[in-house]
Amino acid sequence: MPDLLIELFSEEIPARMQARAADDLKKLVTNGLVDAGLTYASAAAFSTPRRLTLTVEGMLDASPSLVEERKGPKADAPEKAIEGFLRGAGLTRDQLEERDTPKGKILFAMINKPGRPAAEIVAEVLETTIRNFPWPKSMRWGSGSLRWVRPLHSILCILSAEDGAQTVPLNIDGITAGDTTRGHRFLAPDTITVSSFDDYSAKLKRAFVVLDPAERRDTIWNDATNMAFANGLEVVEDAGLLAEVAGLVEYPVVLMGQIGDDFLGLPPEVLQTSMKEHQKFFSVRNPKTGRIERFVTVANRTTADDGATILAGNEKVLSARLSDAKFFWENDLRIAQSEAGMQTWVDRLSNVTFHNKLGTQAELISRMEALAGELAPMVGADAEEARAAARFAKADLSSEMVYEFPELQGLMGSYYAKAAGKSDAIAAAAQDHYAPLGPSDDVPTAPVSIAVALAEKIDKLTGFWAIDEKPTGSKDPFALRRAALGVIRILVENDVPLKLRDTILEHLSQAPAPAAGSAEETAENLLSFLHDRLKVYLKDQGVRHDIIDACISSSDGAPAGATDGNDDLTLLVKRAKALSETLKTDDGENLIQGFKRANNILSQAEDADGVEYSFGADIKFAETEEERALFAALDTAEAQIKPAMEAQDFGTAMSAMASLRGPIDAFFDAVQVNSDNATVRRNRLNLLSRIRTICSSVADLTKIDG
């Protein structure tokens, strides 16, 4: 069984494209081989800045011969129909088989498909792969029609076995496949002839090319951390930067450089961002002071002076970059500490559009300020401090530093607020009000930060719902799904009770654009969207969609001020989790069946009789012990459930509901609901109505699957 080795050698491939390209090469080639009948034992793909490599081990040396049976027309079909079948099968009339079937005599063709040698199939599959490779961006060069991410120089394609290696015959736009490659561009540029993957990888390593990206990442990280440790420092972890840098070099050489003393006073985040974005440098931190004091860069070669010239050039360029950052920082500090202070930046935002239908950034801030003040008492924050925090939370958008590094918005606002003499709570809110940006981010926990973060997200949601620009399909240009999940997580994880319906309605009245429909319809639509996002949030915690639906539905129509309204997401989550745990028990699971049986009988009787059986069950009309036991059980459960729900003790309420399982089962085993006695029948139907009413006060069990 031969092994296949493919290398596509080109000019530098952008680092961000390499991993995906290696996966695509593996998928396209191996799928093509299998489709053509060539199975294999294993496959692996690798990438460097100048090459994509695929090795396939234990491949068949030829595709198997096959016999395809093809059903044709009836034996007495018109001659033209038979001739058409023969042309498609490539056979003559005497080569067909005639078989008796329930539908009469049918013609069948047995078509022999001989196997094909592996080299022929590989050449065909590889050419198709190269010509149709899914690069995000590609280019043509010279006079050929081939497109590749960068000019493709050579193709290595060999089949190696115990008796030697065979070059696969292939020519694509004048590039003929061979058994050669090249080493490092500067350190070993000569041609290398290879005979197998092991030979290939060993010779590349001697030619200063580390083929495996994981090995390059490990080398960079180990060398960098060891250098830092030797100097009493530590490298700031950045997995994304590490992966990117590993895609920029074939032979990583780690060097540590100095940051000028003039720049050590800059915020560490500024240094880190500037070095990462502009130079692809790793930041090296002093663990005792938290300052960024050095940097690590990765060269693509060794030098006679051990990288001294490279470092000198990098330090010179870095100094120019950091001089700009220092200039921005000092200018911004002067404004923050001036008499007008951060209000100068807020005023400038009146000329910056937030959305053409929702006004300017300054108008957004004004709405946030009002809403944060309203929310403050609900989250335990001082209203005036919350309003002040909202007023300055986005001020840094006008600063020079954030203009240069947008990813530092919020963080720089925190620095500037402290420099302006604002309270720690206001400074923290500037940084925290964007959070959480992702499902794994921490949510704000300080009261003022909670108020401002909620105000920012609720304003965004109500505003875009008012102008009817909601997410559609996978499109969500304004990150409204993320904002909704942020509202949910902030409320739930901080255990904040908030009547969202009232909050949304009140804020809609202040929206700069009138709602597309009525305010009530818009609020319900937005609340439904939040419920959908809540399902996604709770699904990750093991709570089923139908359980959440049951809790939402049981709260529909709750009176004003009720504690179980479906717009209080914190209570909704508590109820859903309690119901989820209850349904995991035998009593809870079996109660659903008993409840649904009672509800079905009751619903059918109400439809047939044209009346509603919702009042009047009296124990004096009970004829069996099971009926009387159910009356008693319902009285006990109701007495426990009502105060438990009012106290938001959902666990107790769910347990009381689950305790009805036994009496309900016993009732249905012993009692015929539709008695011939009309009074007894009516009493029993009213008893079933009590089951429905009591259970529905906890959750709408009709929504539960099963």
Side-chain angles (χ1 to χ4, degrees):
M1 285 187 161
D3 297 334
L4 171 65
L5 173 62
I6 296 171
E7 181 201 71
L8 305 176
F9 186 84
S10 68
E11 293 296 327
E12 274 71 4
I13 305 168
R16 67 184 184 279
M17 298 183 186
Q18 291 172 21
R20 174 67 181 271
D23 289 341
D24 285 339
L25 177 64
K26 178 181 174 182
K27 179 181 177 181
L28 292 170
V29 171
T30 55
N31 285 354
L33 295 178
V34 171
D35 289 345
L38 289 183
T39 58
Y40 61 94
S42 63
F46 306 92
S47 63
T48 78
R50 295 204 297 162
R51 68 199 81 217
L52 296 178
T53 300
L54 174 67
T55 174
V56 181
E57 298 182 346
M59 192 173 67
L60 293 177
D61 55 8
S63 61
S65 298
L66 300 173
V67 177
E68 178 189 350
E69 180 181 276
R70 191 177 297 178
K71 183 180 178 182
K74 290 185 176 181
D76 57 356
E79 196 62 30
K80 287 188 177 180
I82 296 176
E83 289 176 0
F85 177 65
L86 291 172
R87 283 195 300 273
L91 301 176
T92 60
R93 180 67 175 80
D94 60 338
Q95 291 176 301
L96 299 181
E97 294 183 15
E98 189 175 302
R99 300 180 194 170
D100 289 325
T101 72
K103 294 184 178 181
K105 294 182 181 296
I106 302 293
L107 297 175
F108 286 85
M110 306 301 291
I111 304 171
N112 292 314
K113 291 189 173 182
R116 300 165 61 201
E120 180 182 328
I121 294 174
V122 168
E124 183 180 289
V125 168
L126 184 55
E127 179 167 5
T128 300
T129 297
I130 292 174
R131 291 194 180 278
N132 298 282
F133 204 81
W135 290 110
K137 291 183 178 180
S138 59
M139 62 181 292
R140 288 192 298 110
W141 62 96
S143 58
S145 62
L146 180 64
R147 300 187 69 90
W148 201 245
V149 64
R150 296 290 186 271
L152 183 64
H153 290 317
S154 66
I155 300 171
L156 184 155
C157 188
I158 60 173
L159 288 168
S160 56
E162 293 181 358
D163 57 351
Q166 169 194 358
T167 300
V168 173
L170 173 66
N171 185 291
I172 302 178
D173 274 22
I175 303 174
T176 302
D179 59 356
T180 62
T181 184
R182 291 182 179 274
H184 191 280
R185 182 187 290 275
F186 306 113
L187 302 176
D190 295 337
T191 298
I192 301 169
T193 302
V194 300
S195 58
S196 67
F197 176 71
D198 290 340
D199 182 44
Y200 168 79
S201 58
K203 287 180 176 176
L204 279 184
K205 185 157 285 190
R206 289 196 294 271
F208 303 98
V209 174
V210 179
L211 182 63
D212 190 348
E215 184 180 347
R216 297 199 300 275
R217 289 195 299 269
D218 290 343
T219 298
I220 292 168
W221 185 249
N222 291 334
D223 289 356
T225 52
N226 287 339
M227 278 186 185
F229 180 77
N231 288 274
L233 304 171
E234 61 185 14
V235 182
V236 177
E237 290 191 39
D238 191 327
L241 179 60
L242 180 59
E244 183 176 8
V245 172
L248 297 174
V249 296
E250 289 193 318
Y251 186 72
V253 177
V254 176
L255 305 169
M256 181 180 288
Q258 298 279 354
I259 298 174
D261 292 341
D262 290 346
F263 309 119
L264 296 181
L266 288 170
E269 296 87 356
V270 171
L271 288 170
Q272 186 177 347
T273 303
S274 179
M275 292 192 294
K276 173 183 176 178
E277 296 301 320
H278 292 148
Q279 307 301 126
K280 309 304 177 188
F281 291 169
F282 293 91
S283 298
V284 181
R285 178 172 53 209
N286 185 330
K288 295 178 181 178
T289 63
R291 294 196 313 177
I292 303 296
E293 298 184 352
R294 296 195 185 184
F295 68 88
V296 163
T297 185
V298 181
N300 192 31
R301 59 172 299 170
T302 57
T303 61
D305 61 359
D306 294 326
T309 302
I310 294 174
L311 274 179
N314 282 332
E315 288 172 354
K316 183 177 181 181
V317 174
L318 179 61
S319 179
R321 291 288 190 185
L322 294 183
S323 293
D324 291 342
K326 184 182 179 185
F327 176 79
F328 299 147
W329 168 247
E330 291 175 348
N331 271 0
D332 288 343
L333 283 182
R334 275 194 291 272
I335 293 174
Q337 294 169 345
S338 68
E339 184 176 348
M342 297 176 73
Q343 186 63 42
T344 303
W345 290 329
V346 175
D347 293 341
R348 289 179 189 171
L349 290 175
S350 61
N351 297 318
V352 179
T353 300
F354 169 61
H355 186 279
N356 63 346
K357 294 181 181 179
L358 296 176
T360 64
Q361 288 282 359
E363 290 171 321
L364 163 65
I365 290 170
S366 179
R367 296 193 300 271
M368 281 177 54
E369 186 178 345
L371 183 53
E374 294 169 10
L375 295 173
M378 305 176 194
V379 300
D382 178 77
E384 282 303 316
E385 193 168 38
R387 279 192 282 267
R391 187 182 314 128
F392 298 116
K394 295 185 180 294
D396 65 346
L397 294 178
S398 295
S399 69
E400 293 185 58
M401 186 68 79
V402 171
Y403 184 83
E404 178 71 12
F405 300 113
E407 58 269 40
L408 293 179
Q409 60 185 286
L411 175 66
M412 297 313 301
S414 176
Y415 278 111
Y416 298 145
K418 290 177 182 177
K422 308 296 182 187
S423 69
D424 290 343
I426 292 175
Q431 180 175 352
D432 295 342
H433 81 282
Y434 291 106
L437 292 175
S440 60
D441 287 357
D442 292 334
V443 301
T445 55
V448 172
S449 295
I450 292 172
V452 179
L454 282 174
E456 194 258 355
K457 293 166 180 60
I458 292 174
D459 177 82
K460 177 185 286 188
L461 290 166
T462 55
F464 281 101
W465 250 253
I467 62 175
D468 198 27
E469 289 200 23
K470 301 182 277 288
T472 57
S474 61
K475 295 180 180 179
D476 187 10
F478 302 107
L480 300 178
R481 292 188 180 95
R482 186 173 71 189
L485 183 58
V487 170
I488 292 166
R489 289 191 58 204
I490 292 170
L491 291 174
V492 172
E493 294 178 28
N494 286 295
D495 196 20
V496 175
L498 178 64
K499 293 292 183 182
L500 274 171
R501 185 181 284 103
D502 294 341
T503 301
I504 292 168
L505 282 170
E506 174 63 25
H507 205 59
L508 279 172
S509 67
Q510 303 171 16
S518 71
E520 289 74 16
E521 289 173 345
T522 302
E524 290 305 320
N525 192 292
L526 176 52
L527 200 56
S528 177
F529 177 75
L530 286 164
H531 286 156
D532 288 341
R533 303 318 298 166
L534 180 65
K535 292 175 187 178
V536 175
Y537 171 70
L538 288 180
K539 181 182 178 182
D540 294 337
Q541 302 181 32
V543 181
R544 304 192 321 246
H545 281 201
D546 59 326
I547 290 175
I548 305 168
D549 284 335
C551 295
I552 291 171
S553 182
S554 72
S555 301
D556 286 342
T563 59
D564 59 351
N566 65 10
D567 61 338
D568 189 332
L569 302 186
T570 300
L571 293 184
L572 203 53
V573 168
K574 290 178 181 178
R575 183 187 294 191
K577 288 184 175 180
L579 180 58
S580 180
E581 291 302 313
T582 298
L583 294 184
K584 291 176 183 177
T585 66
D586 289 339
D587 281 347
E589 184 177 354
N590 291 318
L591 171 67
I592 299 300
Q593 305 308 317
F595 169 85
K596 289 191 173 182
R597 184 176 179 184
N599 187 61
N600 289 339
I601 293 173
L602 180 60
S603 298
Q604 290 169 5
E606 288 178 336
D607 289 343
D609 300 345
V611 298
E612 180 181 319
Y613 294 100
S614 58
F615 180 76
D618 194 329
I619 195 171
K620 72 182 179 183
F621 296 112
E623 294 184 338
T624 68
E625 287 302 318
E626 289 79 8
E627 279 181 272
R628 285 185 277 273
L630 180 55
F631 269 104
L634 289 170
D635 289 340
T636 301
E638 188 173 26
Q640 293 174 342
I641 289 172
K642 188 174 181 179
M645 292 297 290
E646 290 175 352
Q648 301 172 16
D649 183 1
F650 300 119
T652 298
M654 299 294 172
S655 297
M657 181 181 69
S659 69
L660 294 172
R661 173 260 176 116
I664 291 174
D665 287 350
F667 173 82
F668 282 120
D669 287 342
V671 175
Q672 179 182 346
V673 175
N674 289 311
S675 169
D676 293 336
N677 185 316
T679 301
V680 172
R681 175 179 178 271
R682 184 169 57 252
N683 195 59
R684 288 174 178 172
L685 289 171
N686 281 319
L687 185 59
L688 297 188
S689 179
R690 281 199 70 195
I691 295 174
R692 181 167 67 183
T693 301
I694 291 172
C695 290
S696 296
S697 69
V698 178
D700 184 357
L701 300 187
T702 62
K703 300 291 185 181
I704 302 297
D705 295 338

